[in-house]
């Protein structure tokens, strides 16, 4: 390896929602870590477009367990490290205005409780005690997960970056990876726009841009970028605490969700239907009329709040709505952590620790179950119920 000027134990491609927390965890484990990113600073890809929701309320044990650990990290961050990342324990509520959603949520509830999630069903009366501004007309009830919450993606990513550097991780920005070097079926290093680096382990965590680096080495990963729009209002007096999610499909949208941030603004997003594939992140004129109508139907008191801005970001989607996490069979030493399906921010801290245990060969039985669900070599059948 003498032709490589610098050597590392692990190279992470992508300083985003997964790569930056992973760098911190790897550095804390005593590994020499280099993080490479084409952007000028951490979190400038999809991370900065996240609205900040953090939930363990999922439909499978893999994401529930990873996000339970992420919530522990987010909720104690200020106490442990001193940075204010605007963590707010507001909870999540999935509302049901139709029998279809009631049945779906109640069926999932049994699984979620079995996987260790603190979640319960509230009937319409109890739900309106929790959120008085909800529209009572047709409201059946909903699930409530009190330990979920929110934080600032930008403050969080900077905090992870700062602490990773404190533990010795090295970051190179404005330095895109142009090639992952594989010889005799093993990772040898990476080539960038500025040089070459040796390593036996590459963690591929480049989000929506994951496919481009895999194609030259003959590895197919089923990840496609899907664009989602979001918006933020002016700050207003505290109206409600939980993130409110309505999974009813409607014309143009599969679901939508909104919450009131710790600082008073209301942030909201919609899941487009059909998907909007590609890398176009220009805002559209269709988003606000569509989502505002849906929001006011669920919470009429929002109708007079002024919107400050909208934006659009990329969700790296897989066919079944679950992330891809695991070692490559085609290139020894290549660890995939891609296809987060728009949930990289909430998965990142817990996933970063799992990636470290994979690299250091210290997996637990629970980790093995997570990895079997998220395997790059699964069949990709079925669909995540709470994407």
């Amino acid at each position: 390896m003498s032709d490589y000027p610098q050597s590392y134990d692990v190279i992470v491609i992508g300083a985003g929602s997964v790569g930056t927390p992973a760098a911190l965890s790897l550095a804390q484990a005593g590994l020499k870590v280099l993080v490479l990113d084409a952007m000028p600073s951490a979190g400038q890809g999809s991370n900065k477009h996240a609205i900040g929701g953090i939930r363990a309320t999922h439909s499978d044990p893999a994401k529930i367990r990873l996000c339970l650990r992420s919530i522990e990290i987010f909720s104690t961050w200020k106490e442990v490290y001193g940075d204010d990342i605007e963590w707010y324990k507001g909870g999540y509520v999935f509302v049901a205005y139709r029998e279809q959603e009631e049945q779906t949520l109640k069926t999932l509830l049994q699984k979620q409780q079995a996987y260790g999630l603190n979640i319960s069903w509230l009937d319409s009366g109890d739900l309106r005690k929790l959120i008085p501004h909800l529209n009572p007309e047709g409201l059946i009830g909903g699930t409530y997960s009190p330990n979920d919450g929110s934080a600032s993606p930008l403050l969080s990513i900077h905090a992870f970056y700062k602490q990773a550097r404190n533990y010795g991780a090295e970051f190179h920005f404005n330095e895109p990876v142009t090639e992952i070097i594989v010889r005799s079926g093993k990772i040898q290093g990476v080539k960038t726009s500025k040089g070459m680096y040796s390593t036996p382990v590459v963690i591929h965590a480049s989000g929506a841009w994951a496919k481009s680096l895999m194609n030259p080495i003959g590895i197919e990963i089923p990840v496609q970028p899907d664009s989602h729009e979001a918006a933020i209002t002016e700050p207003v007096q505290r109206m409600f605490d939980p993130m409110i999610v309505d999974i009813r499909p409607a014309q143009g949208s599969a679901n939508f969700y909104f919450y009131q941030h710790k600082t008073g603004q209301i942030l909201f997003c919609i899941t487009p239907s059909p998907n909007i594939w590609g890398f176009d992140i220009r805002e559209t004129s269709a988003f606000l009329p569509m989502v505002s109508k849906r929001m006011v139907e669920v919470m009429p008191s929002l109708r007079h709040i002024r919107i400050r801005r909208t934006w659009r970001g990329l969700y790296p989607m897989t066919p079944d709505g679950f992330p891809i996490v695991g070692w490559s069979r085609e290139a020894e030493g290549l660890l995939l952590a891609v296809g987060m399906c728009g949930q990289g921010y909430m998965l990142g801290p817990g996933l970063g620790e799992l990636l470290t245990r994979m690299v250091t060969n210290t997996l637990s039985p629970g980790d093995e179950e997570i990895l079997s669900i998220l395997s790059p070599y699964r069949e990709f059948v079925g669909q995540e119920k709470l994407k």
Side-chain angles (χ1 to χ4, degrees):
M1 305 293 283
S2 58
D3 53 333
Y4 294 84
Q6 296 182 66
S7 236
Y8 296 87
D9 296 321
V10 184
I11 291 178
V12 181
I13 303 175
S17 297
V18 174
T20 306
L24 170 58
S25 181
L26 290 160
Q28 287 174 327
L31 297 171
K32 185 180 180 183
V33 182
L34 171 64
V35 183
L36 296 164
D37 200 290
M39 302 293 183
S41 61
Q44 293 303 302
S46 294
N47 175 270
K48 70 178 182 180
H49 298 117
I51 69 170
I54 302 164
R55 62 178 164 102
T57 306
H58 297 284
S59 64
D60 70 288
K63 290 204 289 186
I64 288 174
R65 288 171 182 162
L66 288 172
C67 287
L68 283 173
R69 177 55 187 151
S70 288
I71 287 172
E72 288 182 30
I73 295 169
F74 281 118
S75 64
T76 60
W77 187 271
K78 188 173 183 180
E79 177 185 347
V80 174
Y81 296 104
D83 308 300
D84 182 6
I85 60 171
E86 295 181 348
W87 163 256
Y88 188 77
K89 183 182 169 182
Y92 261 67
V93 163
F94 283 72
V95 295
Y97 280 89
R98 306 186 309 173
E99 290 183 1
Q100 296 97 307
E101 284 70 44
E102 177 189 16
Q103 185 60 45
T104 296
L105 295 172
K106 284 184 174 178
T107 300
L108 288 175
L109 183 67
Q110 299 174 26
K111 290 184 179 181
Q112 292 165 332
Q113 291 173 335
Y115 299 148
L117 188 63
N118 179 15
I119 186 170
S120 58
W121 175 265
L122 300 182
D123 63 24
S124 58
D126 288 335
L127 200 52
R128 292 202 70 234
K129 288 177 184 176
L130 178 68
I131 311 172
H133 290 277
L134 277 180
N135 186 354
E137 186 176 349
L139 180 64
I140 299 170
T143 57
Y144 174 46
S145 311
N147 294 335
D148 294 339
S150 63
S152 164
L154 289 177
L155 290 176
S156 301
I157 201 73
H158 181 72
F160 281 113
Y161 164 69
K162 181 176 74 173
Q163 295 302 331
R165 290 193 63 193
N166 287 344
Y167 278 91
E170 191 174 329
F171 287 75
H172 291 190
F173 296 112
N174 294 312
E175 188 168 353
V177 174
T178 57
E179 183 184 354
I180 297 174
I181 302 168
V182 181
R183 294 178 187 158
S184 302
K186 294 184 178 181
I187 291 291
Q188 301 296 306
V190 300
K191 183 179 180 181
T192 75
S193 60
K194 297 181 181 179
M196 297 174 70
Y197 307 94
S198 166
T199 185
V201 176
V202 168
I203 296 178
H204 188 29
S206 61
W209 300 268
K211 287 185 74 170
S212 59
L213 280 175
M214 296 292 95
N215 292 336
I217 57 177
I219 298 176
E220 289 290 331
I221 52 172
V223 175
Q224 277 188 285
D226 173 33
S227 61
H228 290 225
E229 281 188 82
I232 188 169
T233 73
E234 63 185 346
V236 294
Q237 185 175 355
R238 174 63 53 184
M239 295 174 62
F240 59 102
D241 282 330
M243 173 86 77
I244 297 170
V245 186
D246 185 352
I247 61 173
R248 286 178 293 178
Q251 185 175 359
S253 63
N255 59 57
F256 78 102
Y257 40 98
F258 62 97
Y259 79 102
Q260 188 165 16
H261 190 262
K262 182 179 181 180
T263 52
Q265 297 102 322
I266 293 169
L267 291 97
F268 51 96
C269 189
I270 205 162
T271 299
S273 180
N275 301 79
I276 305 173
W277 302 115
F279 290 91
D280 188 351
I281 56 171
R282 293 174 296 177
E283 298 90 341
T284 70
S285 59
F287 168 68
L288 276 180
M290 183 191 307
V291 71
S292 59
K293 179 181 178 182
R294 296 200 67 176
M295 287 175 64
V296 170
E297 285 176 353
V298 170
M299 189 173 285
S301 54
L302 296 176
R303 68 174 61 249
H304 298 302
I305 298 177
R306 292 174 293 187
I307 294 166
R308 281 195 166 172
R309 68 182 181 95
T310 65
W311 66 92
R312 192 170 167 191
L314 300 177
Y315 279 29
M317 298 301 298
T318 63
D320 58 5
F322 291 96
I324 295 173
V325 180
W327 292 106
S328 166
R329 295 173 183 169
E330 295 82 3
E332 183 180 334
L334 175 60
L335 181 49
L336 301 174
V338 296
M340 296 297 122
C341 301
Q343 296 168 348
Y345 177 56
M346 63 182 75
L347 287 163
L351 180 54
E353 291 187 347
L354 173 60
L355 295 170
T356 299
R357 293 193 294 274
M358 295 177 75
V359 172
T360 58
N361 198 26
T362 55
L363 292 174
S364 69
D367 291 335
E368 298 287 1
E369 182 184 17
I370 291 171
L371 292 171
S372 68
I373 295 169
L374 305 183
S375 168
Y377 303 98
R378 64 183 185 267
E379 293 297 324
F380 293 95
V381 295
Q383 282 292 312
E384 153 71 293
K385 302 298 184 184
L386 300 179
K387 285 191 283 188

